[in-house]
Each structure stands twice: as structure tokens, then as C-alpha cells.
Amino acid sequence: MPIDDYDDDAGGGKDADLGSARRFQDFDCPDCNANNPYDDGIGDGEEIRCYYCGQEYRVTVTDSGRLKLKAI
């Protein structure tokens, strides 16, 4: 099966090539599972807040372009 360059789940997409410079338009809160859209996007080193439960997180984007959130 060929790899679709626009499919985020395929592992070979353009977002994966950005690594830690990748920006995300939304995230699912680890505490309450609510989806939180961010118009400006979120990236590595930023602090964000869940719109529903109010928990704050520090954003880390790995070298492979994956989003990790740590409660602060």
C-alpha cells in the first residue's frame, strides 16, 4: 500500500517531517477528554489550558512530531 503524504497516521506525512517545530490545531484533555481547538495552534514549550476543566499543561513536541502534555 502506498504512503499518503497527507495522512497523519501513516507516519510518512509532512507533519512528521517537521519534528519538534510541528504545531497542533487542537488537543484532547488528558483529564476530562474534552477536545480543545486552538485557532493559532500550539507548539513546543507553550503553556495551555483546557477550556472545560481548567487544568493547565506544558506542551512538548517530540523530535518525531508527537504531542505530549504535562500538567503544571
Short mmCIF file of all heavy atoms in Angstrom, two decimals:
data_model
loop_
_atom_site.label_atom_id
_atom_site.label_comp_id
_atom_site.label_asym_id
_atom_site.label_seq_id
_atom_site.Cartn_x
_atom_site.Cartn_y
_atom_site.Cartn_z
N MET A 1 0.84 -1.18 0.00
CA MET A 1 0.00 0.00 0.00
C MET A 1 0.89 1.24 0.00
O MET A 1 1.79 1.37 0.82
CB MET A 1 -0.88 -0.02 1.26
CG MET A 1 -1.82 1.13 1.33
SD MET A 1 -3.09 0.84 2.55
CE MET A 1 -2.70 2.11 3.70
N PRO A 2 0.67 2.18 -0.91
CA PRO A 2 1.49 3.39 -0.96
C PRO A 2 1.21 4.31 0.23
O PRO A 2 0.13 4.29 0.79
CB PRO A 2 1.06 4.06 -2.27
CG PRO A 2 -0.26 3.48 -2.59
CD PRO A 2 -0.31 2.12 -1.97
N ILE A 3 2.20 5.08 0.59
CA ILE A 3 2.06 6.02 1.71
C ILE A 3 1.47 7.33 1.20
O ILE A 3 1.98 7.92 0.25
CB ILE A 3 3.41 6.28 2.39
CG1 ILE A 3 3.93 4.99 3.03
CG2 ILE A 3 3.30 7.39 3.42
CD1 ILE A 3 5.31 5.12 3.62
N ASP A 4 0.40 7.77 1.86
CA ASP A 4 -0.23 9.04 1.51
C ASP A 4 0.48 10.15 2.27
O ASP A 4 0.49 10.17 3.49
CB ASP A 4 -1.72 8.99 1.88
CG ASP A 4 -2.47 10.25 1.50
OD1 ASP A 4 -1.87 11.16 0.92
OD2 ASP A 4 -3.66 10.31 1.81
N ASP A 5 1.09 11.10 1.56
CA ASP A 5 1.83 12.19 2.20
C ASP A 5 0.95 13.10 3.04
O ASP A 5 1.45 13.87 3.86
CB ASP A 5 2.54 13.04 1.16
CG ASP A 5 3.77 12.33 0.61
OD1 ASP A 5 4.29 11.43 1.29
OD2 ASP A 5 4.20 12.70 -0.50
N TYR A 6 -0.36 13.05 2.86
CA TYR A 6 -1.25 13.93 3.60
C TYR A 6 -1.97 13.21 4.74
O TYR A 6 -2.79 13.80 5.42
CB TYR A 6 -2.27 14.55 2.65
CG TYR A 6 -1.58 15.37 1.59
CD1 TYR A 6 -1.38 14.88 0.32
CD2 TYR A 6 -1.07 16.62 1.90
CE1 TYR A 6 -0.72 15.62 -0.64
CE2 TYR A 6 -0.40 17.37 0.95
CZ TYR A 6 -0.24 16.86 -0.31
OH TYR A 6 0.43 17.59 -1.25
N ASP A 7 -1.67 11.95 4.98
CA ASP A 7 -2.30 11.17 6.03
C ASP A 7 -1.42 11.22 7.27
O ASP A 7 -0.32 10.67 7.27
CB ASP A 7 -2.51 9.73 5.57
CG ASP A 7 -3.25 8.89 6.59
OD1 ASP A 7 -3.74 9.46 7.57
OD2 ASP A 7 -3.33 7.67 6.39
N ASP A 8 -1.89 11.85 8.36
CA ASP A 8 -1.11 11.99 9.59
C ASP A 8 -0.80 10.65 10.24
O ASP A 8 0.22 10.50 10.89
CB ASP A 8 -1.85 12.87 10.60
CG ASP A 8 -1.91 14.31 10.16
OD1 ASP A 8 -1.07 14.72 9.35
OD2 ASP A 8 -2.78 15.03 10.64
N ASP A 9 -1.67 9.66 10.11
CA ASP A 9 -1.49 8.38 10.76
C ASP A 9 -0.52 7.47 10.02
O ASP A 9 -0.10 6.46 10.54
CB ASP A 9 -2.83 7.66 10.92
CG ASP A 9 -3.77 8.43 11.83
OD1 ASP A 9 -3.26 9.13 12.73
OD2 ASP A 9 -5.00 8.34 11.66
N ALA A 10 -0.14 7.80 8.81
CA ALA A 10 0.71 6.93 8.01
C ALA A 10 2.17 6.98 8.47
O ALA A 10 2.95 6.10 8.15
CB ALA A 10 0.63 7.31 6.53
N GLY A 11 2.56 8.00 9.21
CA GLY A 11 3.92 8.10 9.69
C GLY A 11 4.88 8.75 8.70
O GLY A 11 5.98 9.09 9.05
N GLY A 12 4.48 8.90 7.46
CA GLY A 12 5.36 9.48 6.47
C GLY A 12 4.88 10.84 5.98
O GLY A 12 5.38 11.36 5.01
N GLY A 13 3.91 11.41 6.66
CA GLY A 13 3.31 12.66 6.23
C GLY A 13 4.22 13.85 6.46
O GLY A 13 5.25 13.77 7.11
N LYS A 14 3.85 14.97 5.92
CA LYS A 14 4.64 16.18 6.02
C LYS A 14 4.74 16.69 7.46
O LYS A 14 5.75 17.25 7.84
CB LYS A 14 4.07 17.25 5.11
CG LYS A 14 4.16 16.88 3.65
CD LYS A 14 3.60 17.96 2.77
CE LYS A 14 3.53 17.52 1.35
NZ LYS A 14 4.75 17.65 0.61
N ASP A 15 3.70 16.47 8.29
CA ASP A 15 3.75 16.90 9.68
C ASP A 15 4.83 16.17 10.45
O ASP A 15 5.49 16.75 11.30
CB ASP A 15 2.39 16.70 10.36
CG ASP A 15 1.35 17.68 9.87
OD1 ASP A 15 1.74 18.76 9.38
OD2 ASP A 15 0.16 17.39 9.99
N ALA A 16 5.04 14.91 10.18
CA ALA A 16 6.07 14.14 10.86
C ALA A 16 7.46 14.67 10.51
O ALA A 16 8.39 14.59 11.31
CB ALA A 16 5.96 12.66 10.51
N ASP A 17 7.62 15.22 9.31
CA ASP A 17 8.91 15.76 8.89
C ASP A 17 9.28 17.04 9.64
O ASP A 17 10.45 17.39 9.72
CB ASP A 17 8.89 16.06 7.39
CG ASP A 17 8.75 14.79 6.55
OD1 ASP A 17 9.06 13.70 7.07
OD2 ASP A 17 8.32 14.91 5.39
N LEU A 18 8.30 17.74 10.19
CA LEU A 18 8.56 18.99 10.92
C LEU A 18 9.21 18.74 12.27
O LEU A 18 9.86 19.62 12.82
CB LEU A 18 7.26 19.76 11.12
CG LEU A 18 6.62 20.34 9.86
CD1 LEU A 18 5.27 20.95 10.19
CD2 LEU A 18 7.53 21.38 9.24
N GLY A 19 9.01 17.57 12.85
CA GLY A 19 9.59 17.23 14.15
C GLY A 19 9.05 18.14 15.23
O GLY A 19 7.85 18.38 15.34
N SER A 20 9.94 18.68 16.05
CA SER A 20 9.52 19.49 17.19
C SER A 20 8.98 20.87 16.79
O SER A 20 8.44 21.58 17.62
CB SER A 20 10.67 19.65 18.18
OG SER A 20 11.75 20.31 17.57
N ALA A 21 9.10 21.23 15.51
CA ALA A 21 8.56 22.51 15.03
C ALA A 21 7.08 22.39 14.66
O ALA A 21 6.44 23.38 14.34
CB ALA A 21 9.35 23.00 13.83
N ARG A 22 6.53 21.17 14.71
CA ARG A 22 5.13 20.94 14.34
C ARG A 22 4.19 21.69 15.29
O ARG A 22 4.44 21.80 16.47
CB ARG A 22 4.83 19.45 14.39
CG ARG A 22 3.44 19.10 13.98
CD ARG A 22 3.23 17.61 13.97
NE ARG A 22 1.84 17.32 13.64
CZ ARG A 22 1.30 16.14 13.75
NH1 ARG A 22 2.01 15.12 14.18
NH2 ARG A 22 0.03 15.96 13.44
N ARG A 23 3.10 22.23 14.74
CA ARG A 23 2.08 22.92 15.53
C ARG A 23 0.77 22.17 15.39
O ARG A 23 0.45 21.64 14.34
CB ARG A 23 1.94 24.36 15.08
CG ARG A 23 3.24 25.13 15.32
CD ARG A 23 3.12 26.61 15.21
NE ARG A 23 2.18 27.25 16.06
CZ ARG A 23 2.38 27.59 17.34
NH1 ARG A 23 3.51 27.29 17.92
NH2 ARG A 23 1.46 28.22 18.02
N PHE A 24 -0.01 22.14 16.47
CA PHE A 24 -1.27 21.42 16.51
C PHE A 24 -2.42 22.41 16.63
O PHE A 24 -2.32 23.41 17.33
CB PHE A 24 -1.29 20.47 17.72
CG PHE A 24 -0.30 19.35 17.59
CD1 PHE A 24 1.02 19.54 17.94
CD2 PHE A 24 -0.70 18.12 17.12
CE1 PHE A 24 1.94 18.51 17.82
CE2 PHE A 24 0.21 17.09 16.99
CZ PHE A 24 1.53 17.28 17.34
N GLN A 25 -3.53 22.11 15.97
CA GLN A 25 -4.70 22.98 15.98
C GLN A 25 -5.67 22.65 17.11
O GLN A 25 -6.55 23.45 17.41
CB GLN A 25 -5.44 22.90 14.64
CG GLN A 25 -4.59 23.37 13.47
CD GLN A 25 -4.08 24.78 13.64
OE1 GLN A 25 -4.82 25.67 14.04
NE2 GLN A 25 -2.81 25.00 13.36
N ASP A 26 -5.51 21.49 17.74
CA ASP A 26 -6.38 21.11 18.86
C ASP A 26 -5.70 20.03 19.69
O ASP A 26 -4.67 19.49 19.29
CB ASP A 26 -7.75 20.65 18.38
CG ASP A 26 -7.69 19.37 17.56
OD1 ASP A 26 -6.59 18.96 17.15
OD2 ASP A 26 -8.75 18.79 17.33
N PHE A 27 -6.28 19.75 20.86
CA PHE A 27 -5.79 18.65 21.69
C PHE A 27 -6.95 18.11 22.51
O PHE A 27 -7.92 18.81 22.77
CB PHE A 27 -4.64 19.11 22.60
CG PHE A 27 -5.07 19.95 23.78
CD1 PHE A 27 -5.27 19.37 25.03
CD2 PHE A 27 -5.27 21.30 23.65
CE1 PHE A 27 -5.67 20.14 26.11
CE2 PHE A 27 -5.66 22.08 24.72
CZ PHE A 27 -5.86 21.49 25.96
N ASP A 28 -6.83 16.85 22.90
CA ASP A 28 -7.80 16.23 23.79
C ASP A 28 -7.22 16.26 25.19
O ASP A 28 -6.10 15.77 25.42
CB ASP A 28 -8.08 14.78 23.37
CG ASP A 28 -8.85 14.70 22.06
OD1 ASP A 28 -9.58 15.66 21.76
OD2 ASP A 28 -8.73 13.69 21.37
N CYS A 29 -7.97 16.82 26.14
CA CYS A 29 -7.51 16.97 27.51
C CYS A 29 -7.31 15.58 28.14
O CYS A 29 -8.23 14.76 28.11
CB CYS A 29 -8.53 17.77 28.32
SG CYS A 29 -8.09 17.94 30.06
N PRO A 30 -6.14 15.33 28.72
CA PRO A 30 -5.91 14.05 29.38
C PRO A 30 -6.79 13.84 30.62
O PRO A 30 -7.06 12.70 30.99
CB PRO A 30 -4.44 14.10 29.78
CG PRO A 30 -3.83 15.15 28.93
CD PRO A 30 -4.92 16.13 28.65
N ASP A 31 -7.24 14.91 31.25
CA ASP A 31 -8.05 14.79 32.47
C ASP A 31 -9.53 14.57 32.19
O ASP A 31 -10.15 13.69 32.76
CB ASP A 31 -7.89 16.02 33.36
CG ASP A 31 -6.54 16.04 34.07
OD1 ASP A 31 -5.85 15.02 34.08
OD2 ASP A 31 -6.19 17.12 34.59
N CYS A 32 -10.12 15.37 31.30
CA CYS A 32 -11.57 15.29 31.09
C CYS A 32 -11.95 14.80 29.69
O CYS A 32 -13.13 14.69 29.38
CB CYS A 32 -12.22 16.64 31.37
SG CYS A 32 -11.84 17.92 30.15
N ASN A 33 -10.96 14.52 28.83
CA ASN A 33 -11.16 14.02 27.47
C ASN A 33 -11.88 14.99 26.53
O ASN A 33 -12.31 14.58 25.46
CB ASN A 33 -11.90 12.68 27.48
CG ASN A 33 -11.08 11.60 28.12
OD1 ASN A 33 -9.87 11.57 27.97
ND2 ASN A 33 -11.73 10.73 28.86
N ALA A 34 -12.03 16.24 26.90
CA ALA A 34 -12.68 17.23 26.04
C ALA A 34 -11.72 17.66 24.93
O ALA A 34 -10.52 17.81 25.16
CB ALA A 34 -13.10 18.44 26.85
N ASN A 35 -12.26 17.89 23.74
CA ASN A 35 -11.47 18.40 22.63
C ASN A 35 -11.40 19.91 22.73
O ASN A 35 -12.41 20.58 22.90
CB ASN A 35 -12.07 17.98 21.29
CG ASN A 35 -11.20 18.43 20.15
OD1 ASN A 35 -11.37 19.51 19.63
ND2 ASN A 35 -10.27 17.58 19.76
N ASN A 36 -10.20 20.46 22.64
CA ASN A 36 -9.96 21.89 22.78
C ASN A 36 -9.32 22.44 21.51
O ASN A 36 -8.14 22.20 21.26
CB ASN A 36 -9.01 22.16 23.95
CG ASN A 36 -9.64 21.84 25.27
OD1 ASN A 36 -10.27 22.68 25.87
ND2 ASN A 36 -9.47 20.60 25.74
N PRO A 37 -10.07 23.19 20.70
CA PRO A 37 -9.47 23.77 19.49
C PRO A 37 -8.66 25.03 19.82
O PRO A 37 -9.04 25.80 20.71
CB PRO A 37 -10.68 24.12 18.63
CG PRO A 37 -11.79 24.32 19.61
CD PRO A 37 -11.51 23.41 20.76
N TYR A 38 -7.56 25.23 19.13
CA TYR A 38 -6.74 26.44 19.25
C TYR A 38 -6.53 26.99 17.86
O TYR A 38 -5.86 26.38 17.04
CB TYR A 38 -5.38 26.12 19.91
CG TYR A 38 -5.41 26.18 21.41
CD1 TYR A 38 -5.97 25.16 22.16
CD2 TYR A 38 -4.91 27.28 22.08
CE1 TYR A 38 -6.00 25.21 23.54
CE2 TYR A 38 -4.94 27.36 23.46
CZ TYR A 38 -5.48 26.32 24.18
OH TYR A 38 -5.51 26.38 25.55
N ASP A 39 -7.09 28.16 17.58
CA ASP A 39 -7.01 28.76 16.24
C ASP A 39 -5.57 29.08 15.84
O ASP A 39 -5.19 28.90 14.69
CB ASP A 39 -7.85 30.02 16.16
CG ASP A 39 -9.34 29.73 16.24
OD1 ASP A 39 -9.75 28.61 15.89
OD2 ASP A 39 -10.10 30.62 16.67
N ASP A 40 -4.77 29.56 16.79
CA ASP A 40 -3.39 29.93 16.48
C ASP A 40 -2.46 28.74 16.50
O ASP A 40 -1.30 28.87 16.12
CB ASP A 40 -2.89 30.98 17.48
CG ASP A 40 -3.67 32.27 17.39
OD1 ASP A 40 -4.24 32.55 16.31
OD2 ASP A 40 -3.73 33.01 18.38
N GLY A 41 -2.94 27.61 16.96
CA GLY A 41 -2.10 26.42 17.07
C GLY A 41 -1.29 26.43 18.35
O GLY A 41 -1.11 27.47 18.99
N ILE A 42 -0.82 25.26 18.72
CA ILE A 42 0.03 25.13 19.91
C ILE A 42 1.30 24.40 19.51
O ILE A 42 1.28 23.53 18.64
CB ILE A 42 -0.69 24.39 21.06
CG1 ILE A 42 -1.22 23.03 20.60
CG2 ILE A 42 -1.80 25.22 21.62
CD1 ILE A 42 -1.82 22.20 21.71
N GLY A 43 2.40 24.79 20.13
CA GLY A 43 3.69 24.19 19.78
C GLY A 43 4.54 23.94 21.00
O GLY A 43 4.13 24.18 22.14
N ASP A 44 5.72 23.47 20.76
CA ASP A 44 6.66 23.08 21.81
C ASP A 44 6.97 24.24 22.75
O ASP A 44 7.21 25.36 22.33
CB ASP A 44 7.95 22.58 21.15
CG ASP A 44 8.86 21.90 22.14
OD1 ASP A 44 8.37 21.12 22.98
OD2 ASP A 44 10.09 22.15 22.08
N GLY A 45 6.92 23.96 24.06
CA GLY A 45 7.29 24.93 25.08
C GLY A 45 6.16 25.85 25.54
O GLY A 45 6.35 26.63 26.47
N GLU A 46 5.00 25.77 24.93
CA GLU A 46 3.89 26.64 25.30
C GLU A 46 3.13 26.08 26.50
O GLU A 46 3.22 24.90 26.80
CB GLU A 46 2.94 26.83 24.12
CG GLU A 46 3.57 27.57 22.97
CD GLU A 46 2.59 27.81 21.84
OE1 GLU A 46 1.37 27.85 22.09
OE2 GLU A 46 3.05 27.94 20.70
N GLU A 47 2.41 26.97 27.18
CA GLU A 47 1.52 26.56 28.26
C GLU A 47 0.10 26.80 27.80
O GLU A 47 -0.22 27.86 27.28
CB GLU A 47 1.83 27.33 29.54
CG GLU A 47 3.19 26.99 30.11
CD GLU A 47 3.50 27.73 31.39
OE1 GLU A 47 2.65 28.51 31.87
OE2 GLU A 47 4.60 27.52 31.92
N ILE A 48 -0.75 25.78 27.98
CA ILE A 48 -2.14 25.86 27.52
C ILE A 48 -3.07 25.47 28.65
O ILE A 48 -2.65 24.90 29.66
CB ILE A 48 -2.37 24.94 26.30
CG1 ILE A 48 -2.00 23.51 26.64
CG2 ILE A 48 -1.61 25.44 25.09
CD1 ILE A 48 -2.34 22.52 25.54
N ARG A 49 -4.34 25.79 28.48
CA ARG A 49 -5.36 25.48 29.48
C ARG A 49 -6.54 24.80 28.80
O ARG A 49 -6.96 25.19 27.72
CB ARG A 49 -5.84 26.76 30.16
CG ARG A 49 -6.91 26.54 31.20
CD ARG A 49 -7.48 27.85 31.71
NE ARG A 49 -6.45 28.76 32.14
CZ ARG A 49 -6.17 29.02 33.42
NH1 ARG A 49 -6.84 28.43 34.37
NH2 ARG A 49 -5.23 29.89 33.73
N CYS A 50 -7.10 23.79 29.47
CA CYS A 50 -8.30 23.14 28.96
C CYS A 50 -9.47 24.08 29.18
O CYS A 50 -9.65 24.63 30.27
CB CYS A 50 -8.54 21.82 29.70
SG CYS A 50 -10.09 21.01 29.26
N TYR A 51 -10.26 24.30 28.13
CA TYR A 51 -11.40 25.20 28.22
C TYR A 51 -12.52 24.66 29.11
O TYR A 51 -13.37 25.41 29.56
CB TYR A 51 -12.00 25.45 26.83
CG TYR A 51 -11.10 26.20 25.88
CD1 TYR A 51 -10.95 25.78 24.57
CD2 TYR A 51 -10.41 27.34 26.28
CE1 TYR A 51 -10.14 26.47 23.68
CE2 TYR A 51 -9.59 28.03 25.40
CZ TYR A 51 -9.47 27.59 24.11
OH TYR A 51 -8.68 28.27 23.24
N TYR A 52 -12.53 23.36 29.37
CA TYR A 52 -13.64 22.75 30.09
C TYR A 52 -13.34 22.52 31.58
O TYR A 52 -14.11 22.92 32.43
CB TYR A 52 -14.04 21.43 29.42
CG TYR A 52 -14.51 21.68 28.01
CD1 TYR A 52 -13.63 21.61 26.94
CD2 TYR A 52 -15.82 22.05 27.75
CE1 TYR A 52 -14.05 21.87 25.65
CE2 TYR A 52 -16.25 22.31 26.47
CZ TYR A 52 -15.36 22.22 25.42
OH TYR A 52 -15.78 22.50 24.16
N CYS A 53 -12.21 21.88 31.90
CA CYS A 53 -11.92 21.59 33.31
C CYS A 53 -10.95 22.59 33.94
O CYS A 53 -10.83 22.65 35.15
CB CYS A 53 -11.38 20.16 33.47
SG CYS A 53 -9.73 19.87 32.80
N GLY A 54 -10.25 23.39 33.11
CA GLY A 54 -9.36 24.43 33.63
C GLY A 54 -7.95 23.98 33.93
O GLY A 54 -7.12 24.79 34.35
N GLN A 55 -7.64 22.70 33.73
CA GLN A 55 -6.28 22.20 34.00
C GLN A 55 -5.30 22.83 33.01
O GLN A 55 -5.59 22.98 31.84
CB GLN A 55 -6.25 20.67 33.87
CG GLN A 55 -4.89 20.05 34.08
CD GLN A 55 -4.36 20.24 35.48
OE1 GLN A 55 -5.08 20.07 36.46
NE2 GLN A 55 -3.11 20.61 35.60
N GLU A 56 -4.11 23.20 33.52
CA GLU A 56 -3.07 23.78 32.68
C GLU A 56 -2.02 22.73 32.35
O GLU A 56 -1.71 21.87 33.18
CB GLU A 56 -2.43 24.97 33.38
CG GLU A 56 -3.38 26.13 33.56
CD GLU A 56 -2.72 27.33 34.21
OE1 GLU A 56 -1.57 27.22 34.68
OE2 GLU A 56 -3.35 28.39 34.23
N TYR A 57 -1.45 22.84 31.15
CA TYR A 57 -0.46 21.88 30.68
C TYR A 57 0.70 22.60 30.03
O TYR A 57 0.55 23.66 29.45
CB TYR A 57 -1.07 20.93 29.63
CG TYR A 57 -2.18 20.09 30.16
CD1 TYR A 57 -3.50 20.47 29.98
CD2 TYR A 57 -1.91 18.92 30.85
CE1 TYR A 57 -4.54 19.70 30.47
CE2 TYR A 57 -2.94 18.14 31.35
CZ TYR A 57 -4.24 18.54 31.15
OH TYR A 57 -5.27 17.78 31.65
N ARG A 58 1.87 21.99 30.12
CA ARG A 58 3.05 22.44 29.37
C ARG A 58 3.16 21.51 28.16
O ARG A 58 3.11 20.29 28.29
CB ARG A 58 4.31 22.35 30.21
CG ARG A 58 5.55 22.71 29.38
CD ARG A 58 6.74 23.11 30.19
NE ARG A 58 6.46 24.41 30.81
CZ ARG A 58 6.53 24.62 32.12
NH1 ARG A 58 6.84 23.66 32.94
NH2 ARG A 58 6.26 25.81 32.63
N VAL A 59 3.31 22.09 26.97
CA VAL A 59 3.34 21.34 25.72
C VAL A 59 4.77 20.96 25.38
O VAL A 59 5.68 21.79 25.45
CB VAL A 59 2.75 22.19 24.57
CG1 VAL A 59 2.87 21.46 23.24
CG2 VAL A 59 1.32 22.58 24.86
N THR A 60 4.95 19.70 24.99
CA THR A 60 6.21 19.22 24.46
C THR A 60 5.91 18.51 23.16
O THR A 60 5.01 17.68 23.10
CB THR A 60 6.89 18.23 25.44
OG1 THR A 60 7.07 18.86 26.70
CG2 THR A 60 8.24 17.78 24.91
N VAL A 61 6.64 18.85 22.12
CA VAL A 61 6.52 18.16 20.84
C VAL A 61 7.84 17.43 20.62
O VAL A 61 8.90 18.04 20.62
CB VAL A 61 6.24 19.14 19.67
CG1 VAL A 61 6.11 18.37 18.36
CG2 VAL A 61 4.98 19.95 19.95
N THR A 62 7.76 16.11 20.49
CA THR A 62 8.96 15.29 20.33
C THR A 62 9.60 15.51 18.97
O THR A 62 9.01 16.10 18.07
CB THR A 62 8.63 13.80 20.51
OG1 THR A 62 7.78 13.39 19.45
CG2 THR A 62 7.98 13.54 21.86
N ASP A 63 10.81 14.98 18.80
CA ASP A 63 11.51 15.09 17.52
C ASP A 63 10.77 14.38 16.40
O ASP A 63 10.95 14.71 15.23
CB ASP A 63 12.93 14.54 17.64
CG ASP A 63 13.81 15.40 18.50
OD1 ASP A 63 13.52 16.62 18.62
OD2 ASP A 63 14.80 14.88 19.06
N SER A 64 9.93 13.41 16.76
CA SER A 64 9.14 12.70 15.73
C SER A 64 7.81 13.38 15.47
O SER A 64 7.00 12.88 14.70
CB SER A 64 8.92 11.25 16.16
OG SER A 64 8.21 11.18 17.37
N GLY A 65 7.54 14.54 16.12
CA GLY A 65 6.34 15.32 15.86
C GLY A 65 5.12 14.91 16.66
O GLY A 65 3.99 15.23 16.28
N ARG A 66 5.31 14.24 17.79
CA ARG A 66 4.18 13.81 18.62
C ARG A 66 3.97 14.79 19.76
O ARG A 66 4.91 15.30 20.35
CB ARG A 66 4.43 12.41 19.17
CG ARG A 66 4.51 11.40 18.03
CD ARG A 66 4.40 10.03 18.51
NE ARG A 66 3.17 9.92 19.28
CZ ARG A 66 2.34 8.90 19.21
NH1 ARG A 66 2.62 7.93 18.40
NH2 ARG A 66 1.28 8.85 19.97
N LEU A 67 2.69 15.03 20.08
CA LEU A 67 2.30 15.96 21.14
C LEU A 67 2.31 15.26 22.49
O LEU A 67 1.75 14.18 22.63
CB LEU A 67 0.90 16.50 20.85
CG LEU A 67 0.29 17.44 21.88
CD1 LEU A 67 1.04 18.77 21.87
CD2 LEU A 67 -1.18 17.67 21.60
N LYS A 68 2.95 15.88 23.48
CA LYS A 68 2.92 15.38 24.86
C LYS A 68 2.53 16.54 25.77
O LYS A 68 3.01 17.65 25.60
CB LYS A 68 4.28 14.82 25.26
CG LYS A 68 4.66 13.60 24.46
CD LYS A 68 5.80 12.88 25.09
CE LYS A 68 6.10 11.66 24.26
NZ LYS A 68 6.19 10.48 25.04
N LEU A 69 1.63 16.27 26.72
CA LEU A 69 1.17 17.29 27.66
C LEU A 69 1.52 16.88 29.07
O LEU A 69 1.31 15.73 29.47
CB LEU A 69 -0.36 17.46 27.53
CG LEU A 69 -0.88 17.82 26.14
CD1 LEU A 69 -2.39 17.79 26.13
CD2 LEU A 69 -0.38 19.18 25.74
N LYS A 70 2.03 17.84 29.86
CA LYS A 70 2.35 17.60 31.25
C LYS A 70 1.63 18.61 32.10
O LYS A 70 1.73 19.82 31.87
CB LYS A 70 3.87 17.70 31.48
CG LYS A 70 4.26 17.40 32.90
CD LYS A 70 5.76 17.44 33.07
CE LYS A 70 6.09 17.11 34.52
NZ LYS A 70 7.52 17.14 34.75
N ALA A 71 0.86 18.13 33.09
CA ALA A 71 0.11 19.03 33.97
C ALA A 71 1.06 19.90 34.77
O ALA A 71 2.10 19.45 35.24
CB ALA A 71 -0.77 18.21 34.89
N ILE A 72 0.70 21.18 34.92
CA ILE A 72 1.50 22.10 35.73
C ILE A 72 0.66 22.69 36.84
O ILE A 72 -0.53 22.62 36.85
CB ILE A 72 2.14 23.23 34.89
CG1 ILE A 72 1.11 23.94 34.02
CG2 ILE A 72 3.23 22.66 34.03
CD1 ILE A 72 1.67 25.13 33.28
#
